[in-house]
Amino acid sequence: MKVILVAVTTSQDRYDIEYSLDELKKLAEALNMKTVDRFFQKAEHPNARTYVGKGKLNEIKLAVFAKDADAVIFNDELTYSQLRNLKEELQIECIDRSYLILRIFEQRASTPEAKLEIRLAKNLYLLPRIAGLREKESRIGGSKAGVTNRGAGESQTNLDRRRLLAEIQQIRKSLQQIEKRKKTERTRRQKNDIPIVALVGYTNSGKSSTMNSLLKYVCENGKTVVEKDQLFATLSTYNRKISFEQKEFILVDTIGFVSRLPHTLIHSFYQTLAEIRQADLILHVIDSSSPYINEQFQVVSQVLYTLQADRIPMIFLLNKWDQTTDETLCIPGQKYLTFSNKTQLHIRQLLDLICQEVGPSTLRVRLLIPYSKGNLSHILEEGLHIYRKEYQEFGIYYDVELPVQKYPDFRMYDLDQIVQ
Ligand SMILES: Nc1nc2c(ncn2[C@@H]2O[C@H](COP(=O)(O)OP(=O)(O)OP(=O)(O)O)[C@@H](O)[C@H]2O)c(=O)[nH]1
Ligand SMILES: [Mg+2]
């Protein structure tokens, strides 16, 4: 499919226009679309009716014809009336940035949860556009048969809207159920006191590669995750347990961020991204070879702020250091590490740093060990820190600091677990 890209830039726009269009091109490539031409216009605001002004629109029209394009992609989220007007003017499929990203997510979603989330995001995107969609139909009807048809168009709009709203409600319910189940899993993990370390970063920065490098370093045959030179290669969160020098932590690979992620998407993926909010440590993976490192850094920081995850301890990974041209790059006042998955630079240091950050792997628990389980009492009495010990009717009560690895043997005697 051949496409033409169009962007409007304002003087205050912090995004360099070429960068914006390059990124849009990559987003289009993610859907196998080939860019055959690109246009941009400098303006204070996008045109309310047709995004770009009349002159630019004529240039685009000519290009559509000359390059035999199949669609035009606009670099912002457009209102329904803008999309409708553009379609009428250009007589070709018109796609806005939000819809493009939604379609990529839709194509990549593989887990039932991701599928539901993307469906929700798409419905939320469509909801305010339904009226316009039907308005056009009723206008056509109206010219033929007058008032009656307009009424029919309007009631159809209401029907569509009700259908969408009902579906949105249904999806939300299903997502809530999934979230409930995940929450219990999370509580169990927390109970086991295994710290959670989340890989976060701009799309294509190397999060999944970093996960794989760490997995391979600690265990040759670790189950790896998909890494690809492609935007949004990862669309669900993946968890892997890592054991390293008596420490254990759960490493979570997450969805990449991109500038101007559609609001409806952040909203729908909030639960998936909740994994990030639960993290004890964030590894912020940065593509240090990107010429747009600052912009990408800003976007990730902003999304972390939106997710209320900006206070979580963070290590910055200056990844792809093997390709970096600016070797003076640094992040003053922060914990950071130059890193490369290609050359394995500083993998060991990263593991050490993570272990330092996630702290001791013990857990304070209240246990009631039956008198018949003398072997378990024996383990507790051997050098563990006991805060309190009491002989009770059904066994010995211990308030004790237990190493995480030993917890599974004691879970069924954990008083807090029994009460739950
Ligand atoms: N040269 C070089 N390439 C790297 C390095 N780390 C990752 N890459 C490449 O960067 C591309 C993206 O890597 P991924 O690990 O899939 O990136 P990601 O952040 O998980 O991307 P999304 O899941 O799409 O958000 C792949 O082609 C990797 O081979 C590195 O240290 N050096
Ligand atoms: Mg990935």
Side-chain angles (χ1 to χ4, degrees):
M1 186 167 177
K2 288 187 275 183
V3 295
I4 292 176
L5 310 181
V6 182
V8 168
T9 177
T10 65
S11 45
Q12 302 94 331
D13 202 340
R14 65 198 165 91
Y15 288 100
D16 173 49
I17 189 66
E18 285 303 324
Y19 164 56
S20 242
L21 283 171
D22 282 348
E23 189 173 76
L24 193 64
K25 179 168 168 256
K26 279 197 191 153
L27 289 169
E29 273 166 14
L31 283 173
N32 292 324
M33 295 171 170
K34 186 170 177 282
T35 300
V36 289
D37 209 346
R38 41 206 262 173
F39 290 87
F40 72 89
Q41 182 164 54
K42 284 205 163 116
E44 278 304 310
H45 307 284
N47 184 298
R49 226 184 70 78
T50 49
Y51 186 62
V52 288
K54 215 176 168 66
K56 190 60 71 181
L57 199 60
N58 279 333
E59 280 179 46
I60 298 167
K61 215 184 274 185
L62 287 175
V64 165
F65 185 68
K67 305 272 165 84
D68 194 23
D70 302 296
V72 181
I73 301 178
F74 299 87
N75 199 23
D76 284 283
E77 184 164 313
L78 302 183
T79 62
Y80 180 77
S81 74
Q82 281 173 324
L83 274 171
R84 185 194 58 199
N85 296 335
L86 284 164
K87 214 168 168 181
E88 270 178 13
E89 293 275 352
L90 298 171
Q91 292 294 314
I92 193 171
E93 187 180 1
C94 296
I95 302 166
D96 69 359
R97 182 183 174 93
S98 294
Y99 199 63
L100 186 70
I101 295 176
L102 286 170
R103 272 175 52 179
I104 300 172
F105 272 62
E106 188 177 30
Q107 206 185 54
R108 302 276 160 80
S110 58
T111 62
E113 187 183 16
K115 280 186 180 149
L116 281 173
E117 284 168 329
I118 180 67
R119 186 138 194 92
L120 178 61
K122 216 171 151 191
N123 283 350
L124 290 171
Y125 170 90
L126 287 174
L127 198 61
R129 289 168 174 82
I130 272 197
L133 203 78
R134 287 295 170 191
E135 180 197 315
K136 188 184 169 202
E137 282 179 15
S138 61
R139 266 195 315 154
I140 298 164
S143 62
K144 270 198 231 147
V147 178
T148 342
N149 262 10
R150 201 159 99 214
E154 274 169 8
S155 65
Q156 188 58 43
T157 303
N158 283 336
L159 261 174
D160 285 347
R161 195 193 295 276
R162 244 180 284 147
R163 189 183 52 76
L164 260 190
L165 280 171
E167 198 183 347
I168 286 172
Q169 220 168 12
Q170 187 56 42
I171 298 173
R172 283 200 167 126
K173 242 190 227 158
S174 311
L175 282 172
Q176 268 165 12
Q177 275 162 3
I178 296 180
E179 172 56 12
K180 231 189 206 163
R181 208 180 56 230
K182 283 185 127 186
K183 213 169 172 176
T184 348
E185 279 170 22
R186 274 202 293 268
T187 319
R188 210 170 51 228
R189 274 205 312 251
Q190 274 161 3
K191 188 76 208 165
N192 288 355
D193 206 23
I194 304 184
I196 297 172
V197 179
L199 286 153
V200 174
Y202 209 78
T203 181
N204 212 42
S205 58
K207 299 175 293 297
S208 303
S209 309
T210 303
M211 182 166 205
N212 290 339
S213 296
L214 291 173
L215 284 169
K216 280 182 206 145
Y217 188 87
V218 295
C219 161
E220 271 300 312
N221 307 318
K223 193 175 162 211
T224 52
V225 293
V226 174
E227 52 179 80
K228 266 190 192 164
D229 189 12
Q230 184 184 54
L231 301 189
F232 305 120
T234 308
L235 257 207
S236 299
T237 51
Y238 291 97
N239 303 336
R240 299 280 186 272
K241 194 156 98 177
I242 294 205
S243 306
F244 179 68
E245 299 197 333
Q246 312 291 320
K247 294 262 170 69
E248 280 189 328
F249 59 90
I250 295 190
L251 191 62
V252 184
D253 187 16
T254 65
I255 301 166
F257 302 152
V258 71
S259 70
R260 284 170 290 158
L261 215 49
H263 286 300
T264 60
L265 250 172
I266 298 193
H267 187 73
S268 333
F269 275 74
Y270 205 73
Q271 296 305 353
T272 289
L273 295 168
E275 298 269 355
I276 297 175
R277 272 182 291 150
Q278 305 289 331
D280 299 281
L281 175 68
I282 287 178
L283 301 183
H284 179 162
V285 183
I286 299 164
D287 177 354
S288 61
S289 69
S290 165
Y292 304 105
I293 179 170
N294 287 332
E295 286 81 359
Q296 298 186 349
F297 186 86
Q298 291 298 332
V299 168
V300 176
S301 305
Q302 185 58 45
V303 181
L304 286 177
Y305 177 77
T306 313
L307 292 174
Q308 296 168 353
D310 53 328
R311 297 277 173 95
I312 298 172
M314 208 174 295
I315 298 174
F316 296 90
L317 278 192
L318 290 171
N319 189 33
K320 308 199 187 179
W321 197 253
D322 54 285
Q323 286 189 335
T324 306
T325 43
D326 179 6
E327 301 218 336
T328 60
L329 215 68
C330 68
I331 309 176
Q334 305 285 350
K335 282 205 178 93
Y336 72 93
L337 204 59
T338 52
F339 191 81
S340 168
N341 289 294
K342 201 163 178 194
T343 64
Q344 306 280 291
L345 173 75
H346 290 158
I347 298 240
R348 165 80 205 206
Q349 282 82 344
L350 176 60
L351 276 165
D352 285 339
L353 209 57
I354 294 172
C355 290
Q356 255 174 44
E357 285 291 319
V358 294
S361 321
T362 58
L363 169 69
R364 187 170 170 176
V365 281
R366 300 185 310 125
L367 306 170
L368 187 65
I369 309 290
Y371 289 112
S372 59
K373 299 283 176 191
N375 56 332
L376 291 181
S377 299
H378 188 70
I379 295 175
L380 297 178
E381 306 272 346
E382 265 191 346
L384 296 189
H385 183 77
I386 296 173
Y387 296 95
R388 213 168 127 209
K389 177 180 168 187
E390 236 172 53
Y391 291 91
Q392 297 185 351
E393 192 183 346
F394 299 108
I396 311 175
Y397 168 89
Y398 288 96
D399 178 356
V400 62
E401 196 79 38
L402 191 69
V404 169
Q405 300 94 309
K406 293 207 165 97
Y407 181 75
D409 297 337
F410 289 89
R411 180 180 289 122
M412 62 186 299
Y413 308 110
D414 179 350
L415 285 171
D416 297 309
Q417 193 87 325
I418 294 166
V419 172
Q420 274 177 13

